[in-house]
């Protein structure tokens, strides 16, 4: 017995896998400069802070029908089926086989006379049992790998929902921007149309020249160009919202004017929180893929060890149809089976090397996503602050140009200045008002980007995940 134990021990020692270690390590959070700042979690339905019921409706349509979400959900179902398959591999497998064949029996083989050399019905019916005994945990590691992959796929769905939500809100803000630009252009058209009418009346009374009329028509044409550009952008935004909602050409007609307040919409924290990585579903998914790859490496390493199965069968075997289900035709058998890799031309070593490389690949992808997440959050905070400062300065420009135009209009009305003197201030005022709207929309876009960068209400702790 001691010799047998020693022989088994030596055999297992000879089957040990080579030592391989991943070459890439996950980036340490303390290297990211997140500091200790804390910030409240973003609400899961953060877009409701914009206060527009129509946006809520479009968001519901997008989260129910966006094609990219369908892809993510299909991948989740696929991962769950793999997990179910791995769990099934760890349990017993029972099957039933039956066959009946009319054939000539060899006269020089295992069946003796009187059947040898005759033509008979040969039949068998048996139940089979096959159960892999997971002595070394290979099947358990495969189940853990599939479970981690399924968890990663579920997190991908969350990340996809966040991406869709961010795209819907950003596109909706672009629609609001275009609507406000169009409103400014229409207001400018009305004012400049009135000015042209007044100039034409002054021309008839010899108080103005055709040069003044040409200048007024130039201003009117510029406003028409601005209106056409804004209306085209609004139409494109509606089409984009229809695509995000997974709808067709009739959907844009259901979108009415927006009701966003760009000045007060979506207040956000002004700092990058220390727990940023725990708030990002894509980071959690990447971390789960590292776990899946690590378990895959464990499966590849344990493939070097013996594989032990329990086999069993029970059934009937007989020559002749009438003999198949008789007592003497019964057969039964059971016992263990062992598979031990001895020489495979390096196949197992290559599999282990590939599994280790998969861990490195998953870790490198995680590191890249971490760095990108930190940059996205930092950029959103910086951009939000910069736009707030620029917006304050732009408001001063708008007020100053409005006052300049008012004073110039008084001078024109009193005959102290030609109508031509209003062209440059008028153009500059239109551009300044457009720039002010752009900055207001940009400020909201920066806060939306920050909401997405902060995970949009996701928290790994609330889902039982760890970083």
């Amino acid at each position: 017995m001691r010799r047998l134990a020693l022989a088994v021990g030596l055999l297992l020692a000879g089957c040990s896998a080579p030592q391989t270690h991943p070459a890439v390590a996950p980036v340490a959070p303390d290297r990211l400069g997140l500091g200790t700042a804390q910030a409240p979690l973003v609400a899961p339905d953060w877009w409701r802070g914009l206060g527009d019921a129509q946006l809520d409706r479009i968001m519901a349509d997008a989260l129910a029908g966006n094609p990219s979400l369908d892809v993510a959900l299909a991948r989740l179902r696929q991962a769950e089926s793999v997990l179910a398959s791995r769990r099934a591999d760890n349990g017993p497998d029972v099957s039933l086989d039956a066959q009946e064949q009319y054939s000539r029996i060899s006269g020089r083989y295992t069946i003796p006379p009187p059947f040898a050399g005759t033509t008979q019905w040969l039949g068998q019916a048996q139940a089979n049992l096959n159960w892999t005994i997971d002595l070394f945990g290979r099947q358990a590691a495969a189940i853990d790998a599939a479970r981690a992959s399924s968890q990663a796929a579920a997190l991908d769905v969350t990340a996809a929902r966040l991406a869709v939500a961010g795209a819907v809100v950003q596109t909706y803000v672009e629609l609001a921007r275009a609507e406000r630009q169009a409103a400014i252009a229409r207001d400018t058209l009305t004012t400049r149309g009135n000015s042209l009418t007044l100039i034409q009346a002054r021309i008839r009374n010899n108080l103005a020249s055709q040069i003044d009329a040409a200048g007024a028509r130039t201003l009117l044409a510029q406003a028409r160009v601005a209106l056409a550009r804004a209306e085209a952008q609004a139409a494109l935004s509606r089409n984009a919202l229809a695509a995000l909602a997974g709808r067709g050409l009739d959907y844009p007609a259901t979108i009415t004017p927006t009701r966003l307040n760009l000045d007060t919409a979506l207040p956000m924290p002004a700092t990058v929180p220390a727990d940023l990585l725990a708030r990002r579903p894509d980071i959690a998914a990447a971390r789960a893929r590292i776990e899946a790859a690590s378990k895959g490496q464990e499966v590849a390493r344990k493939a070097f060890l013996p594989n032990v199965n329990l086999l069993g069968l029970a059934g009937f075997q007989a020559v002749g149809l009438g003999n198949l289900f008789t007592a003497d035709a019964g057969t039964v058998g059971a016992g263990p089976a062992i598979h031990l890799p001895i020489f495979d031309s390096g196949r197992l070593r290559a599999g282990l090397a590939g599994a280790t490389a998969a861990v490195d690949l998953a870790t490198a992808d995680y590191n890249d996503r971490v760095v990108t997440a930190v940059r996205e959050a930092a950029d959103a905070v910086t951009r939000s602050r910069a736009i707030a400062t620029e917006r304050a300065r732009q408001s001063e420009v708008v007020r100053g140009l409005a006052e300049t135009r008012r004073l110039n209009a008084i001078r024109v009305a009193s005959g102290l200045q030609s109508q031509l003197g209003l062209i440059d201030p008028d153009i500059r005022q239109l551009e300044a008002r457009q720039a002010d709207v752009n900055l207001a929309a940009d400020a909201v876009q920066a806060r939306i980007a920050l909401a997405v960068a902060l995970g949009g209400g996701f928290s790994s702790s609330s889902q039982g995940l760890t970083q």
Side-chain angles (χ1 to χ4, degrees):
M1 181 62 70
R2 291 181 179 176
R3 291 181 179 179
L4 179 60
L6 179 60
V8 172
L10 290 174
L11 190 59
L12 291 177
C15 295
S16 60
Q19 292 298 317
T20 57
H21 302 285
V24 182
V27 63
D30 56 6
R31 292 179 52 194
L32 301 174
L34 294 177
T36 59
Q38 297 294 329
L41 282 174
V42 179
D45 53 352
W46 51 271
W47 59 85
R48 294 185 184 275
L50 293 167
D52 192 320
Q54 178 173 244
L55 173 60
D56 299 340
R57 172 182 66 84
I58 296 173
M59 184 66 72
D61 292 340
L63 294 180
N66 186 273
S68 64
L69 281 179
D70 292 337
V71 172
L73 288 168
R75 288 175 176 164
L76 173 58
R77 292 192 295 271
Q78 186 179 50
E80 289 174 340
S81 70
V82 172
L83 175 58
S85 177
R86 293 294 177 268
R87 285 172 172 164
D89 289 341
N90 202 38
D93 182 13
V94 179
S95 62
L96 178 64
D97 295 317
Q99 68 175 28
E100 192 75 30
Q101 184 176 357
Y102 189 67
S103 61
R104 183 185 183 280
I105 302 172
S106 172
R108 304 272 184 188
Y109 198 48
T110 57
I111 299 179
F115 298 110
T118 64
T119 302
Q120 302 286 339
W121 283 97
L122 301 178
Q124 68 174 18
Q126 65 183 38
N128 306 293
L129 169 67
N130 185 357
W131 193 349
T132 299
I133 305 302
D134 194 19
L135 293 179
F136 302 103
R138 181 183 179 187
Q139 295 286 68
I143 292 173
D144 289 341
R147 183 182 295 110
S149 293
S150 178
Q151 185 183 71
L155 290 165
D156 284 339
V157 173
T158 303
R161 289 176 62 86
L162 175 59
V164 168
V168 168
V169 180
Q170 288 173 334
T171 305
Y172 198 76
V173 170
E174 288 305 309
L175 174 60
R177 183 204 302 264
E179 289 175 347
R180 283 155 178 74
Q181 296 286 16
I184 291 173
R186 291 190 190 96
D187 181 54
T188 304
L189 271 175
T190 300
T191 301
R192 292 179 179 179
N194 293 337
S195 295
L196 179 59
T197 301
L198 178 61
I199 290 172
Q200 290 171 338
R202 290 170 63 86
I203 290 174
R204 288 192 296 271
N205 294 315
N206 295 320
L207 298 176
S209 68
Q210 290 297 331
I211 296 178
D212 295 318
R217 282 192 289 269
T218 299
L219 291 175
L220 195 62
Q222 185 214 22
R224 286 172 179 158
V225 169
L227 177 60
R229 184 183 298 116
E231 289 178 339
Q233 183 58 51
L236 291 174
S237 297
R238 293 189 189 95
N239 292 341
L241 288 170
L244 287 168
R247 301 300 182 89
L249 296 177
D250 58 335
Y251 194 79
T254 69
I255 301 176
T256 58
T258 63
R259 297 180 179 276
L260 297 179
N261 186 344
L262 298 181
D263 292 325
T264 60
L266 208 63
M268 296 299 298
T271 58
V272 178
D275 60 344
L276 171 66
L277 303 186
R279 299 182 180 212
R280 295 278 299 236
D282 56 336
I283 299 298
R287 190 73 186 183
R289 288 194 167 88
I290 295 178
E291 177 67 15
S294 299
K295 292 299 181 179
Q297 182 191 33
E298 188 176 338
V299 171
R301 178 174 287 112
K302 290 181 178 180
F304 286 82
L305 300 174
N307 189 32
V308 180
N309 290 355
L310 286 181
L311 303 178
L313 62 89
F316 301 90
Q317 294 177 332
V319 177
L321 283 172
N323 299 324
L324 183 58
F325 294 104
T326 61
D328 263 355
T331 180
V332 63
I338 185 170
H339 170 77
L340 183 64
I342 302 297
F343 178 74
D344 65 352
S345 300
R347 186 176 293 107
L348 291 178
R349 287 178 177 269
L352 179 57
T356 304
V359 176
D360 287 336
L361 183 62
T363 304
D365 177 68
Y366 169 80
N367 290 344
D368 180 65
R369 289 177 183 272
V370 165
V371 173
T372 300
V374 173
R375 188 205 68 202
E376 288 173 349
D379 285 353
V381 170
T382 301
R383 182 166 174 75
S384 183
R385 291 173 178 171
I387 291 175
T389 301
E390 188 177 354
R391 180 90 192 282
R393 301 294 178 266
Q394 185 63 33
S395 297
E396 296 175 1
V397 172
V398 171
R399 289 193 298 270
L401 288 173
E403 179 64 14
T404 299
R405 190 182 187 287
R406 186 186 68 83
L407 295 175
N408 284 339
I410 293 175
R411 291 173 59 85
V412 170
S414 62
L416 298 177
Q417 181 176 321
S418 168
Q419 184 76 22
L420 294 176
L422 293 180
I423 293 179
D424 183 62
D426 210 346
I427 292 175
R428 291 172 60 194
Q429 185 181 24
L430 172 61
E431 293 174 345
R433 291 179 66 189
Q434 290 175 328
D436 187 58
V437 168
N438 282 336
L439 286 172
D442 289 344
V444 179
Q445 294 286 31
R447 293 194 290 273
I448 293 169
L450 184 55
V452 174
L454 295 180
F458 172 83
S459 173
S460 60
S461 60
S462 66
Q463 298 197 12
L465 304 174
T466 57
Q467 290 295 316

